[in-house]
């Protein structure tokens, strides 16, 4: 009897009675309005009034009753504690996890006649369970370093106990008994939905069988509420970052190196590429080609934006006709890195492939670059501090960063 006359049942019954009285009064008011305003010359005035008030009650008052009752139960009780189908549908739509913790958790503890209880709720990232306590009408969140680990033996054990687990059951081992003691619990009720544990209730008192049945029904609602809350949070996060994902895709396409051109008889092959690298070719007015390879020491969202900024600067310089020599391009890249306050290490290689005299010129920044011929890989032809000039031959010439080959240059179509 005490479980039946719990706080949430009394509040829910009062709300239901008041809303239904409001519906009856609204229908009677509609009937009186029809009787008073219909012309007296019309026959069957009362019958028309009854029919009109019935139509008004079915199509207007009943839907309004459902909405008003749902709003009041959400405000003063909780839609999760109501057996009303309309309130249940509203609970599934709202995904109100805070209402679940604030209203349902204390009521579950009181239904077991316990003075103390703990509630575990699965986080949105599905990593750990947050823990809440309720004692002597005071509710707070327990601040733990890691929450409750999902791989805990206790959670695996209670997952198979849909109707709840009591301390000291025959199939419990010492570790699980210690978990019961640490939670100050004699009874643990799991929140299971689709064979997944979304939380549990741990209380100090073992409830009676009839109360356990009601607790099991509410536990199913709690599991569904947590499940829907996690899904809604993921959907909201996806919507929030959808634009960022689209921009990231555009940025990635910008950073994809283009196919190297064939400059006269000089063939250039792209051998490798990795995220966080900028490699771009530019053609000058004299039909010579410049290439820029920029490697930042870190790869994250900031570095991607930095590479995009440098790429835009290079294209703007090309459109203005300012791409004239290697030193100018090298200085342009370095100055713009300083402008965006890039303080991390970077490696930069700026090169030029001349169509007229077939020369390859290279300037480098960083100690990880090597230029060597295929026939003598041990000899580094690139030096820091000045412009390195080589003439490609049928023996391929490689540009490597950190022992990884990036580009190859080879003369083709030359007669012996």
């Amino acid at each position: 009897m005490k479980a039946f006359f719990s706080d949430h049942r009394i509040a829910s019954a009062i709300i239901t009675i008041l809303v239904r009285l409001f519906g009856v009064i609204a229908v009677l008011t509609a009937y009186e309005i029809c009787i008073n305003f219909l012309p007296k010359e019309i026959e069957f005035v009362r019958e028309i009034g009854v029919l009109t008030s019935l139509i008004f009650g079915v199509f207007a008052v009943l839907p309004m009753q459902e909405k008003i009752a749902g709003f009041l139960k959400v405000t003063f009780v909780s839609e999760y504690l109501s057996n009303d189908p309309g309130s249940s549908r509203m609970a599934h739509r709202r995904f109100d996890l805070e209402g679940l913790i604030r209203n349902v958790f204390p009521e579950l503890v009181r239904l077991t006649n316990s003075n103390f209880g703990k509630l575990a709720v699965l986080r949105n990232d599905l990593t750990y369970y947050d823990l809440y306590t309720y004692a002597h009408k005071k509710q707070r969140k327990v601040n733990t370093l890691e929450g409750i680990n999902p791989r805990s033996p206790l959670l695996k054990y209670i997952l198979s106990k849909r109707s709840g687990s009591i301390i000291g059951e025959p199939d419990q081992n010492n570790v699980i008994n210690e978990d019961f003691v640490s939670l100050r619990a004699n009874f643990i009720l799991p929140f299971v939905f689709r064979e997944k544990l979304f939380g549990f209730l741990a209380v100090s008192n073992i409830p009676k069988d009839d109360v356990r049945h009601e607790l099991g029904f509410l536990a199913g609602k709690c599991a569904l509420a947590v499940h829907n809350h996690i899904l809604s949070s993921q959907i909201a996060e996806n919507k929030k970052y959808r634009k960022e994902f689209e921009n990231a895709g555009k940025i990635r396409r910008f950073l994809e190196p283009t196919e190297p051109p064939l400059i006269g008889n000089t063939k250039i092959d792209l051998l490798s590429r990795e995220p966080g690298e900028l490699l771009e070719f530019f053609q000058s007015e004299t039909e010579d080609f410049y290439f820029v390879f920029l490697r930042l020491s870190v790869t994250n969202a900031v570095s991607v934006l930095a590479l995009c900024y440098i790429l835009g600067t290079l294209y703007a310089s090309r459109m203005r006709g300012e791409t004239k020599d290697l030193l100018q391009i090298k200085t342009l890249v370095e100055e713009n890195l300083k402008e965006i306050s890039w303080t991390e290490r970077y490696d930069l290689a700026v090169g030029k492939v001349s169509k007229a005299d077939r020369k390859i010129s290279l300037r480098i920044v960083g100690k990880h670059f090597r230029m060597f011929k295929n026939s003598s890989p041990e000899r580094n032809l690139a030096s820091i501090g000045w412009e390195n000039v080589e003439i490609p031959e049928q023996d391929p010439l490689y540009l490597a960063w950190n022992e990884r080959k990036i580009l190859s240059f080879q003369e083709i179509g030359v007669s012996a």
Side-chain angles (χ1 to χ4, degrees):
M1 294 296 292
K2 187 174 182 178
F4 178 80
F5 291 107
S6 60
D7 294 345
H8 83 273
R9 288 187 180 275
I10 294 175
S12 180
I14 292 174
I15 291 173
T16 302
I17 292 172
L18 291 177
V19 171
R20 290 181 179 177
L21 285 176
F22 164 77
V24 172
I25 294 172
V27 171
L28 292 176
T29 303
Y31 174 75
E32 289 296 329
I33 292 174
C34 292
I35 293 298
N36 294 328
F37 284 90
L38 286 175
K40 303 301 181 181
E41 294 79 8
I42 301 178
E43 296 184 5
F44 310 112
V45 173
R46 295 183 180 276
E47 288 78 359
I48 295 175
V50 170
L51 181 60
T52 304
S53 60
L54 287 177
I55 294 174
F56 173 73
V58 171
F59 292 99
V61 175
L62 289 181
M64 192 180 302
Q65 278 185 342
E66 182 178 348
K67 291 184 179 297
I68 294 175
F71 173 77
L72 293 177
K73 288 178 181 179
V74 168
T75 305
F76 297 103
V77 189
S78 175
E79 60 268 45
Y80 300 109
L81 292 172
S82 174
N83 293 329
D84 178 54
S87 299
S88 298
R89 289 195 298 271
M90 184 176 295
H92 298 164
R93 291 195 301 267
R94 283 174 54 86
F95 317 135
D96 186 8
L97 185 61
E98 293 299 326
L100 176 70
I101 297 170
R102 183 176 61 254
N103 298 323
V104 181
F105 173 36
E107 189 63 34
L108 292 176
V109 177
R110 287 194 290 266
L111 283 174
T112 62
N113 293 329
S114 300
N115 294 322
F116 176 82
K118 288 190 176 182
L119 174 72
V121 177
L122 185 62
R123 296 179 185 174
N124 292 341
D125 55 5
L126 307 181
T127 55
Y128 289 94
Y129 293 80
D130 287 328
L131 204 60
Y132 301 83
T133 64
Y134 177 83
H136 306 294
K137 297 186 178 181
K138 293 183 180 180
Q139 185 175 332
R140 66 185 180 91
K141 183 177 180 180
V142 181
N143 293 322
T144 57
L145 295 178
E146 296 183 346
I148 300 177
N149 194 320
R151 292 178 292 276
S152 169
L154 173 66
L155 301 186
K156 295 181 180 179
Y157 173 76
I158 65 175
L159 180 60
S160 60
K161 304 286 184 177
R162 296 292 186 93
S163 60
S165 175
I166 302 174
I167 188 172
E169 290 180 335
D171 56 346
Q172 292 180 3
N173 55 39
N174 293 331
V175 176
I176 295 176
N177 287 331
E178 292 176 0
D179 292 332
F180 268 83
V181 174
S182 64
L183 292 171
R184 297 172 57 187
N186 291 318
F187 177 78
I188 296 180
L189 178 69
F191 302 156
V192 182
F193 179 68
R194 293 179 180 175
E195 305 304 323
K196 184 174 180 62
L197 184 69
F198 287 92
F200 63 83
L201 172 73
V203 292
S204 57
N205 189 45
I206 300 175
K208 297 180 180 179
D209 291 340
D210 56 340
V211 178
R212 289 179 64 176
H213 176 74
E214 183 176 3
L215 288 174
F217 174 74
L218 293 175
K221 285 190 173 184
C222 293
L224 184 59
V226 178
H227 168 72
N228 288 340
H229 174 78
I230 293 174
L231 287 182
S232 64
S233 301
Q234 293 173 349
I235 293 172
E237 184 176 359
N238 288 337
K239 289 182 178 179
K240 179 179 179 181
Y241 292 106
R242 181 180 300 171
K243 187 174 181 180
E244 282 76 2
F245 290 151
E246 293 175 355
N247 292 337
K250 295 177 182 178
I251 291 172
R252 184 178 181 183
R253 287 192 295 271
F254 270 120
L255 295 182
E256 291 289 342
T258 56
E259 290 297 326
L262 177 63
I263 308 169
N265 292 327
T266 304
K267 180 184 178 184
I268 305 176
D269 290 322
L270 176 63
L271 303 179
S272 66
R273 58 189 181 187
E274 290 185 355
E277 293 178 349
L278 172 63
L279 178 59
E280 197 68 32
F281 290 87
F282 304 93
Q283 186 176 13
S284 66
E285 297 177 355
T286 60
E287 297 186 353
D288 298 331
F289 272 87
Y290 293 89
F291 64 88
V292 177
F293 174 83
L294 177 60
R295 170 83 187 197
L296 302 180
S297 57
V298 294
T299 303
N300 53 27
V302 177
S303 65
V304 171
L305 292 175
L307 291 177
C308 288
Y309 179 77
I310 297 299
L311 180 62
T313 303
L314 291 172
Y315 269 110
S317 175
R318 176 193 174 189
M319 296 298 294
R320 292 193 298 263
E322 298 175 356
T323 306
K324 295 181 180 179
D325 57 55
L326 297 183
L327 184 59
Q328 182 189 31
I329 297 177
K330 172 180 171 295
T331 304
L332 177 66
V333 173
E334 292 180 323
E335 288 180 350
N336 279 275
L337 286 174
K338 292 180 181 178
E339 184 178 341
I340 61 176
S341 301
W342 182 264
T343 58
E344 303 291 337
R345 182 180 56 81
Y346 62 89
D347 295 304
L348 173 65
V350 181
K352 174 185 176 182
V353 182
S354 178
K355 184 176 181 180
D357 51 14
R358 302 186 294 113
K359 291 182 179 179
I360 298 177
S361 305
L362 180 70
R363 284 184 177 270
I364 61 175
V365 176
K367 301 179 180 179
H368 297 88
F369 287 107
R370 293 181 67 241
M371 178 176 278
F372 57 90
K373 292 185 178 181
N374 187 50
S375 58
S376 54
E378 70 284 351
R379 182 185 176 189
N380 187 9
L381 303 176
S383 301
I384 301 175
W386 61 76
E387 188 170 309
N388 304 271
V389 179
E390 296 292 333
I391 298 179
E393 301 173 352
Q394 289 187 339
D395 185 14
L397 183 67
Y398 294 104
L399 174 64
W401 179 85
N402 203 18
E403 301 303 326
R404 176 170 58 89
K405 296 178 180 178
I406 302 170
L407 295 173
S408 69
F409 307 88
Q410 185 178 11
E411 193 73 10
I412 60 175
V414 179
S415 59

